[in-house]
Amino acid sequence: MDIAQLEAYRTALTGHCYRMLGSITDAEDAVQDTMIRAWKAGESFDGRASLKTWIYRIATNVCLDMLASRKQRIRPMEDGSAGSVDDPLMRRSSTDWIEPIADIQAISANEDPSTIAILRQSIRLAFITALQHLPPRQRAALLFTEVLGWSVNEVAEALDTTVPAINSALQRARSTLSAHRHADVHHLREADPSLLEKYVDAFQRYDIDSLTTLLHQDATLSMPPYTLWLQGPESIQNWLLGRGSVCRGSRLIPVEASGSPAFAQYHPDPEGEFSAWALIVLEIEDGKIRAWNSFMDTETHFPRLGLPLKLPA
């Protein structure tokens, strides 16, 4: 088997493994393991199934093996109740949190526009979070049908089970997901560009009054790997004017991450340059910012976006 045939699936498999695992770090490991297993087993591929079905089956089994020995990834909003500006900043291991992903790592530019729209929705943080509440095999069955558009027969073959078993798994999975907001991959709503322009302008001027008007009444602010999260415009405003005022003077650079409006935040440093500070991913609802997610592990996330850790003054 030609290695190029396998590599052609790397981006799509990365997206699939990311949705299964909730982590781009784990997804990259899973895809590499998949490639090795597929290369070693190439001679056993008899063509009865398509190459696509065969390699997705390998990737899914790799993910199922990984999930059997790892705990569920979460977001700070699932770790406890909303905090206050006076609460201490406590960290949890990076392996505890759902991670963002660069769109380019999960979505091939060669896909048609309608497929790209579904794939972008399928890597949004709300959907990834909801998926983690499903048992792994239900998760796989749902992703095959709802995201990849496979038939139930194809899914049964890939997961080495029966059609009735897949139908039952899908019914339970859809019932679970119905309780989670924004977990429908077929209703993509793009953010109003003017809202994002106002956000960038207000943030870079550090006009907190203007910034607060852009927030949904139930807006949340989280900062993984820290457990602290805040809710409501007033609480977020107090944070930005208090301990969060370290963000004053930051620059924001638009990026494509998690299928959502996202920005690389650079913070002025003592050397007169700008240092990577956070990857911001926004979630929009009713024309307002519903969730402001600042991922602080820049040494992990910025290189994946092709971004430097320093900018000149």
Side-chain angles (χ1 to χ4, degrees):
M1 180 179 293
D2 188 344
I3 191 65
Q5 290 178 282
L6 300 178
E7 284 294 332
Y9 287 98
R10 182 175 289 274
T11 299
L13 289 175
T14 300
H16 178 65
C17 292
Y18 170 72
R19 290 184 283 269
M20 284 290 295
L21 302 168
S23 160
I24 178 56
T25 304
D26 290 347
E28 288 176 331
D29 290 343
V31 172
Q32 193 59 33
D33 193 1
T34 297
M35 293 296 179
I36 293 171
R37 292 191 192 186
W39 175 250
K40 289 181 177 179
E43 292 184 359
S44 67
F45 176 62
D46 56 15
R48 286 184 296 177
S50 69
L51 176 59
K52 181 177 181 180
T53 300
W54 182 73
I55 197 168
Y56 265 95
R57 179 176 184 173
I58 295 173
T60 302
N61 284 329
V62 169
C63 291
L64 293 175
D65 289 344
M66 293 174 70
L67 289 168
S69 60
R70 304 186 186 192
K71 59 187 176 182
Q72 174 184 315
R73 286 180 179 261
I74 60 173
R75 297 170 74 182
M77 288 76 81
E78 298 178 290
D79 192 44
S81 57
S84 73
V85 296
D86 298 318
D87 288 339
L89 282 175
M90 306 291 291
R91 299 174 68 104
R92 282 182 57 167
S93 168
S94 61
T95 60
D96 291 339
W97 303 119
I98 287 174
E99 294 180 330
I101 186 172
D103 288 12
I104 195 172
Q105 288 187 282
I107 304 171
S108 171
N110 296 327
E111 300 285 0
D112 64 79
S114 61
T115 299
I116 289 176
I118 292 175
L119 292 176
R120 289 189 69 238
Q121 182 74 339
S122 74
I123 58 172
R124 290 194 169 189
L125 294 172
F127 183 65
I128 297 299
T129 301
L131 285 174
Q132 307 313 303
H133 291 274
L134 299 178
R137 291 183 70 84
Q138 286 185 27
R139 194 181 310 173
L142 185 90
L143 290 174
F144 278 134
T145 55
E146 298 293 317
V147 176
L148 300 179
W150 289 22
S151 69
V152 174
N153 287 332
E154 290 174 310
V155 179
E157 180 182 358
L159 296 180
D160 195 23
T161 188
T162 65
V163 168
I166 294 300
N167 283 327
S168 177
L170 288 172
Q171 184 178 15
R172 295 194 299 272
R174 287 164 180 157
S175 176
T176 300
L177 254 63
S178 67
H180 294 268
R181 301 171 69 181
H182 311 302
D184 188 342
V185 297
H186 298 291
H187 290 84
L188 179 67
R189 296 179 180 85
E190 296 290 354
D192 182 351
S194 66
L195 171 67
L196 303 181
E197 291 171 3
K198 291 175 183 177
Y199 172 80
V200 172
D201 176 64
F203 196 110
Q204 294 189 150
R205 291 187 295 106
Y206 218 68
D207 180 350
I208 303 305
D209 287 336
S210 295
L211 200 55
T212 304
T213 65
L214 307 177
L215 301 178
H216 192 280
Q217 62 180 1
D218 295 323
T220 60
L221 170 63
S222 64
M223 300 161 284
Y226 297 107
T227 59
L228 177 65
W229 64 282
L230 305 168
Q231 185 166 37
E234 182 178 356
S235 182
I236 295 172
Q237 181 180 49
N238 290 338
W239 173 266
L240 294 173
L241 290 172
R243 293 156 72 189
S245 62
V246 67
C247 291
R248 188 185 302 274
S250 292
R251 289 182 181 177
L252 298 184
I253 297 177
V255 295
E256 296 183 343
S258 293
S260 304
F263 302 91
Q265 179 187 352
Y266 287 88
H267 177 265
D269 61 31
E271 289 74 36
E273 297 181 309
F274 285 80
S275 297
W277 185 259
L279 171 61
I280 298 173
V281 179
L282 302 179
E283 297 171 78
I284 311 300
E285 181 180 336
D286 301 328
K288 297 280 189 176
I289 297 170
R290 176 65 176 76
W292 175 343
N293 309 280
S294 287
F295 294 93
M296 309 298 290
D297 186 5
T298 55
E299 291 188 358
T300 296
H301 303 307
F302 275 45
R304 290 191 172 110
L305 288 159
L307 296 169
L309 296 177
K310 288 273 192 178
L311 290 180

